[in-house]
Amino acid sequence: MPSPAPAPSATRPGRPTWAPPTLTRVPLLRADPDLGRYLSPTRRAAVEPELWTVGVEIPAGPWRGASRLASDPAAIGAMVLDGLIARELRLADTTSADLFGPGDIIRPDSDGPSSLDPPVCWTVLQPLRAAALDARVTAICQRSPELMMAVLDRINAQSHRLALSQAISHLTGVDRRVEALLWHLADRWGKVTPDGVVVPVPLSHRLLGSLVGARRPTVSTALADLTRTHRVMTLPSGDWLLTGTPPSSGPSDAAFTAHRPARGQSGQSTRESSKPKSAAPSSRARISA
């Protein structure tokens, strides 16, 4: 039997330790009623008693167990019930981030090895309470397609928000990016007050930079400009106060530029392009036609 590891001494600090997560029993449809939006009252009454799972509570700080929370390939993932989590990817000297909040589903990467293989860091920004959508929940969803459709709605909504975040990071001017991102967050968590819209999502300038594709000093300068023009204010609690108006959206889809085939490509499939071309009809044949 291996000997136990020695306790860290007072003179030589050991590795930091984290308390084990708190596990609870979670009735899913009570914790998240919207998950059963497609169920008829009869179907909901039949499914609700068996649709429970294990919940986990994690305090704010670095989160080392994100990949283990739903490691079973038959599991859907882990659904956030309360709290806020940041996922950061490091590529060369650049960090990109996205946020997960209530209703979002976290599923470990299943694509396998990547050519870039960026390291991933998870941080719990606000105390997390999540429910494991394990293999047992997956089996119930297979018998109740209405539940699976609600899960797909969540994943599709996350994909849309990620695409919008990517569009925000392409805006010219870091002040425009930061303001647009805060309005984007306000759509989910904003609270309307007489002074403006409060966004209770405390974010450091560094993390804001990772969310909008900018460096921390540039974000600080942009926030100073937004504060000076009374568009964004930082509250003592760390929340944000939006006093302006949301950035205007772009023109309708009729104004989008149509994509043309790449140079040397005709837009036809390889099989079609490999077929021998028939001789062009003569000008006399074209006229007679």
Side-chain angles (χ1 to χ4, degrees):
M1 177 181 297
S3 58
S9 65
T11 56
R12 182 171 60 88
R15 294 182 178 180
T17 59
W18 290 270
T22 302
L23 302 181
T24 58
R25 179 185 171 111
V26 176
L28 274 179
L29 291 184
R30 293 183 185 178
D32 191 340
D34 187 63
L35 195 62
R37 70 169 108 174
Y38 297 130
L39 291 169
S40 65
T42 304
R43 293 277 293 159
R44 187 185 187 101
V47 170
E48 186 170 2
E50 61 176 335
L51 193 59
W52 60 268
T53 186
V54 175
V56 59
E57 298 179 8
I58 300 175
W63 186 19
R64 302 291 198 271
S67 60
R68 297 193 300 269
L69 192 58
S71 57
D72 186 347
I76 295 173
M79 185 173 66
V80 180
L81 300 176
D82 294 300
L84 185 67
I85 310 103
R87 177 180 61 182
E88 297 179 271
L89 280 74
R90 183 78 175 175
L91 188 60
D93 61 344
T94 302
T95 302
S96 175
D98 58 336
L99 301 175
F100 292 82
D104 288 338
I105 294 174
I106 300 173
R107 181 173 171 83
D109 183 15
S110 58
D111 287 344
S114 167
S115 298
L116 300 178
D117 197 20
V120 180
C121 175
W122 295 83
T123 304
V124 177
L125 302 177
Q126 295 175 345
L128 170 67
R129 190 166 69 97
L133 306 184
D134 53 18
R136 180 178 171 278
V137 175
T138 302
I140 297 174
C141 289
Q142 288 176 338
R143 300 194 302 268
S144 303
E146 303 96 329
L147 291 172
M148 186 59 74
M149 293 305 299
V151 169
L152 292 177
D153 282 350
R154 301 286 178 90
I155 296 174
N156 182 64
Q158 290 175 222
S159 176
H160 177 74
R161 287 194 295 267
L162 189 60
L164 185 53
S165 297
Q166 184 182 27
I168 290 172
S169 68
H170 283 73
L171 288 174
T172 303
V174 176
D175 57 335
R176 294 178 62 205
R177 297 184 208 169
V178 171
E179 185 179 19
L181 174 71
L182 292 176
W183 277 107
H184 179 39
L185 299 180
D187 287 338
R188 297 191 68 189
W189 300 298
K191 301 177 181 178
V192 179
T193 70
D195 298 324
V197 180
V198 175
V199 185
V201 183
L203 301 170
S204 66
H205 291 193
R206 183 196 67 79
L207 183 54
L208 269 175
S210 298
L211 289 166
V212 301
R215 302 289 184 180
R216 185 198 59 77
T218 311
V219 170
S220 299
T221 302
L223 283 170
D225 292 340
L226 291 169
T227 301
R228 186 171 56 253
T229 55
H230 302 287
R231 291 147 62 192
V232 176
M233 308 292 290
T234 305
L235 301 178
S237 60
D239 300 341
W240 308 94
L241 176 65
L242 306 180
T243 57
T245 57
S248 60
S249 59
S252 64
D253 56 357
F256 281 103
T257 303
H259 293 285
R260 293 184 294 179
R263 181 174 298 178
Q265 300 291 327
S266 62
Q268 297 176 335
S269 65
T270 306
R271 180 176 298 179
E272 291 176 346
S273 60
S274 63
K275 291 181 180 179
K277 297 182 179 180
S278 59
S282 65
S283 58
R284 185 185 297 265
R286 288 199 298 270
I287 293 174
S288 61

